[in-house]
Amino acid sequence: MRILKFKYLFLITCFMAINATNTEYLKQLDMESSKNVSHASLTERCGQLNESMANASCANGTRPYWLLSLDGGGIRGLMHLYALVKLEEITQKSVIDLFDGVAGTSIGGVIACLLTLPNPEFPTRSLYSARDVLEIMLENKDEMVVTNWESLGGILGTHYKTAPVKNFLEKILRKNSFKNRLLPTVLITHDLHSYSERLISTTDSQDFYTKDVAMATCAAPTYCEPQYVSTIDSSNEYLLSDGGTAMNNPVLAGIALIQQHYGASMDDICAVSFGTGVVGERHNGDFLRSGGCFDWACEIADLCIDGQLSVIESTAKLYLGNRYYRFNPYLGKGNVRLDDVSERYIRTLRNASSQMLDANNKFSVIAAALQIDANNDAELKKEERSVGMQQQNVEKNVLPPSVACSDAPVVAEWSCWNTFKGWLADLCG
């Protein structure tokens, strides 16, 4: 009884931060939007935004900044890769050529790190394509999900061993520095000292080893151990866990990243957001009316995660309007699992992703728009990455010259974390 009550209270404590997190982001984005939108009723404001954002061109007629946003969801993150493989096949372009920034939570964060990893031999190109990452994940899935039998099913410790996941990330990411990415990138983690989100961003002045922050963003509660993550210079250390308990859909953090890195306004941003599956059925919540611990303990995790996803999606739609493209496959009841690596479940994920993409004409339209913008922007991006690589080699000798590479900083010394907290302080001041 005491163990069950403790786990229930733990879940409540973790998820209470969700409402505060999303409310603060709503205020943050509202400050940017209020510069261009007059004080009107919410209904009028939504109408004005949707009318002004009916197409994917910027207010000044130039190309938009494209954000790729990848949700958390354990093994269901394979659906991100199925979609991105198809996108690369349609456009004949890599992810780093199609997008201007990427945001990831949990498995979405791990995928973001791998897709933006520079090739040591050709530092302005990515080491892995989406298909490469998909094959890597499928080849290593069984080795990464190793049951921790000593935990008695997750009661006395984590359900799975953390070491195999860490070993996999160390082997594939090695000593790569997080700031050495081919695109501006932000990962979502949950700080267990402050119980608030901590954004790990390439625009931050702090730098980390990519393997450490990738492990932190996917350290799901009760599945893997939280991680102590130190900066490369050992000046700061944080206790971090999976970002899904703070912001499972990282699109709002991605919008902030694009604004900070490029100096872009809200009207200049398009977001392509991939989810990790929905049940699509109405829940029977009548039994929760009793308010008892046992009833709520079974539902509180799903309730909070689904609630924060709904808030984030509504907020993104409010501020981006028709430039927010959300793709979330239908899985159905009983198929929303984090840790099922069986071949049968993998086929379920592949089929769900294929059905979603085949039935959604918008995916083909977006692929065409991305391809056109990538063709027009190819030489500029190549030049920016070359300049960024040279600056990294001169200013910071963390990695060998063959590996050091990042986009040229457009806005110097910006920090997603510090900027967000500054906005919040101004609001509360």
Side-chain angles (χ1 to χ4, degrees):
M1 174 71 75
R2 294 179 63 185
I3 292 176
L4 287 173
K5 285 187 176 181
F6 171 78
K7 296 195 79 173
Y8 168 75
L9 291 173
F10 170 78
L11 288 169
I12 290 288
T13 303
C14 284
F15 291 113
M16 280 182 69
I18 291 172
N19 286 337
T21 297
N22 292 318
T23 300
E24 290 169 359
Y25 264 91
L26 179 63
K27 292 178 180 177
Q28 168 191 338
L29 295 176
D30 189 57
M31 291 183 68
E32 169 68 21
S33 178
S34 64
K35 298 175 183 178
N36 304 315
V37 180
S38 60
H39 296 285
S41 70
L42 184 60
T43 302
E44 292 172 345
R45 233 171 116 185
C46 288
Q48 292 169 0
L49 283 167
N50 286 327
E51 182 179 352
S52 64
M53 300 175 179
N55 53 65
S57 62
C58 299
N60 57 11
T62 61
R63 67 173 292 279
Y65 292 96
W66 287 92
L67 168 70
L68 174 63
S69 178
L70 304 173
D71 284 19
I75 192 63
R76 304 198 311 273
L78 289 176
M79 293 188 291
H80 296 330
L81 293 169
Y82 290 128
L84 292 174
V85 166
K86 185 168 184 177
L87 185 61
E88 288 189 342
E89 289 175 349
I90 292 174
T91 62
Q92 293 297 297
K93 299 284 185 182
S94 67
V95 167
I96 64 165
D97 291 326
L98 295 172
F99 293 93
D100 301 290
V102 57
T105 297
S106 193
I107 185 63
V110 175
I111 292 171
C113 290
L114 293 176
L115 290 175
T116 59
L117 182 66
N119 186 329
E121 296 183 5
F122 305 98
T124 60
R125 306 305 306 162
S126 55
L127 183 59
Y128 301 114
S129 66
R131 182 170 292 281
D132 293 333
V133 177
L134 175 61
E135 292 176 355
I136 290 170
M137 291 293 186
L138 290 175
E139 290 172 2
N140 292 274
K141 59 182 175 60
D142 294 315
E143 287 72 20
M144 288 190 289
V145 182
V146 180
T147 301
N148 182 12
W149 298 108
E150 298 176 356
S151 70
L152 299 180
I155 296 176
L156 302 180
T158 59
H159 193 70
Y160 297 105
K161 294 182 179 180
T162 305
V165 183
K166 292 189 70 171
N167 293 339
F168 164 75
L169 293 173
E170 286 184 8
K171 179 178 68 175
I172 200 167
L173 292 169
R174 301 185 181 181
K175 290 292 184 179
N176 174 251
S177 163
F178 183 69
K179 287 173 71 70
N180 290 323
R181 316 236 67 71
L182 292 174
L183 285 179
T185 305
V186 60
L187 306 185
I188 313 301
T189 67
H190 209 151
D191 192 319
L192 297 186
H193 286 151
S194 66
Y195 278 19
S196 62
E197 84 295 332
R198 182 164 292 278
L199 310 183
I200 308 297
S201 170
T202 53
T203 60
D204 202 338
S205 58
Q206 296 185 123
D207 201 4
F208 304 84
Y209 287 117
T210 308
K211 60 184 177 65
D212 295 337
V213 292
M215 182 67 239
T217 190
C218 70
T222 76
Y223 286 87
C224 290
E225 298 170 356
Q227 299 294 300
Y228 278 105
V229 177
S230 298
T231 55
I232 290 178
D233 61 7
S234 300
S235 60
N236 288 293
E237 183 181 64
Y238 307 98
L239 179 59
L240 305 175
S241 69
D242 193 306
T245 54
M247 190 187 301
N248 202 50
N249 178 349
V251 65
L252 300 185
I255 292 171
L257 173 76
I258 295 294
Q259 289 179 327
Q260 292 162 9
H261 185 89
Y262 297 104
S265 70
M266 199 74 72
D267 293 338
D268 296 332
I269 301 171
C270 291
V272 180
S273 174
F274 289 103
T276 52
V278 293
V279 175
E281 297 181 7
R282 181 180 174 86
H283 298 279
N284 181 14
D286 291 342
F287 68 95
L288 297 176
R289 295 183 64 187
S290 66
C293 291
F294 288 103
D295 291 333
W296 277 98
C298 296
E299 297 292 322
I300 189 68
D302 289 341
L303 185 71
C304 290
I305 291 292
D306 289 349
Q308 54 125 320
L309 283 172
S310 176
V311 170
I312 290 172
E313 186 163 353
S314 297
T315 305
K317 286 179 179 178
L318 174 64
Y319 289 102
L320 294 185
N322 290 337
R323 294 196 310 279
Y324 175 64
Y325 306 102
R326 177 72 169 169
F327 298 93
N328 205 5
Y330 171 76
L331 288 175
K333 191 173 183 180
N335 279 328
V336 182
R337 297 190 286 274
L338 296 174
D339 54 351
D340 188 346
V341 295
S342 67
E343 292 301 322
R344 180 178 179 180
Y345 191 59
I346 299 302
R347 286 196 299 272
T348 298
L349 298 178
R350 184 172 60 248
N351 292 337
S353 178
S354 296
Q355 290 173 8
M356 175 195 68
L357 298 176
D358 292 342
N360 199 326
N361 294 330
K362 189 178 292 185
F363 185 79
S364 299
V365 174
I366 291 171
L370 286 166
Q371 185 178 31
I372 292 171
D373 286 342
N375 288 335
N376 294 337
D377 222 21
E379 289 302 318
L380 177 60
K381 279 191 173 184
K382 183 177 180 181
E383 181 180 351
E384 286 181 349
R385 289 180 188 135
S386 297
V387 172
M389 179 184 63
Q390 294 169 7
Q391 290 183 351
Q392 285 288 338
N393 289 339
V394 172
E395 299 172 0
K396 183 177 177 184
N397 191 23
V398 174
L399 295 178
S402 61
V403 180
C405 166
S406 73
D407 282 333
V410 178
V411 181
E413 293 295 320
W414 279 95
S415 161
C416 278
W417 174 257
N418 292 331
T419 302
F420 168 70
K421 292 303 178 186
W423 282 331
L424 180 61
D426 291 340
L427 287 170
C428 298

